[in-house]
Amino acid sequence: MEIYLDTAHVADIAKAVKTGCISGVTTNPTIVSREGTPLRQCITAIAAVDPALTILVEAVSPTAKELIDEAHRLAELAAHVVVKLPMTPHGLAAARSLSRAGIRTTVTLVFGLTQAIAASCAGAEYIAPFVGRLDDMNMGGLALVRSIKETFRAQAVGTKIIAASIRSCQAVADLFTAGCDVVTMPAAIFWKMLEHPLTEAGLLQFEKDWKTVPGTL
Ligand code: E4P
């Protein structure tokens, strides 16, 4: 069970990593474009926060051959890069070749069970169903993840599920309960995950009562 942050914003990543809960970071072209810095600089800065972070970086080339070449370059950017490949015939062909070459891959933009099956058969290490985008269209993101998990279990395949496009803490809880290996979320949702009004109330009470305890440690 791993929490990833779905952002390339280094200050947000550094702050959240300090909690000890974050194992990785996911990016995509939209996320990187928000930072206004070149991709290499962006990924190097994220890796400098914590060299142990897994960093997902998306390949965008139009053909399988070019995706493969691009993936080799992306894999060199940091110690633990996983290359995201599109859920297309070219992306699947690249996943097959890259997995044989020992380069870690995620097939991204997964919206259906048969897509997840194809990506697993192509040797992807992860598949990334976009739960929130399905929910936005009332198309059952959680139900899709449950059926993918059930299928992978029934077939005893090791492909991992990284649930993406997260809109709420409830989605995070439901997706881990459904068996997702990773849930990647915006920083704001990560911080919300840690909160509970009873924790705050309990701390205030303990602070008040502690003041009445005589002596020091
Ligand atoms: C993850 O890497 C995905 O690209 C991302 O979660 C998509 O999120 P969005 O649907 O909020 O754009």
Side-chain angles (χ1 to χ4, degrees), residues 6 26-28 31 58 84 108 130 133 164-167 184:
D6 200 20
T26 50
T27 67
N28 64 30
I31 286 171
E58 195 146 339
K84 293 170 83 177
T108 188
F130 278 29
R133 291 193 196 185
S165 184
I166 301 302
R167 308 274 189 261
T184 185

Side-chain angles (χ1 to χ4, degrees), residues 2 12 15 25 53 63 67 73 99 101 105 108 120 125 128 130 132 151 161 165 171-172 208 215:
E2 291 184 308
D12 285 352
K15 188 175 166 203
V25 166
L53 286 173
T63 67
L67 281 169
R73 293 194 299 273
S99 78
T105 59
T108 188
S120 174
E125 179 177 350
F130 278 29
T151 306
I161 303 174
S165 184
V172 175
K208 190 167 156 242

Side-chain angles (χ1 to χ4, degrees), residues 16 22 46 75 132 150 181 188 195:
I22 308 297
I46 294 169
E150 197 183 328
D181 302 278
E195 292 171 6

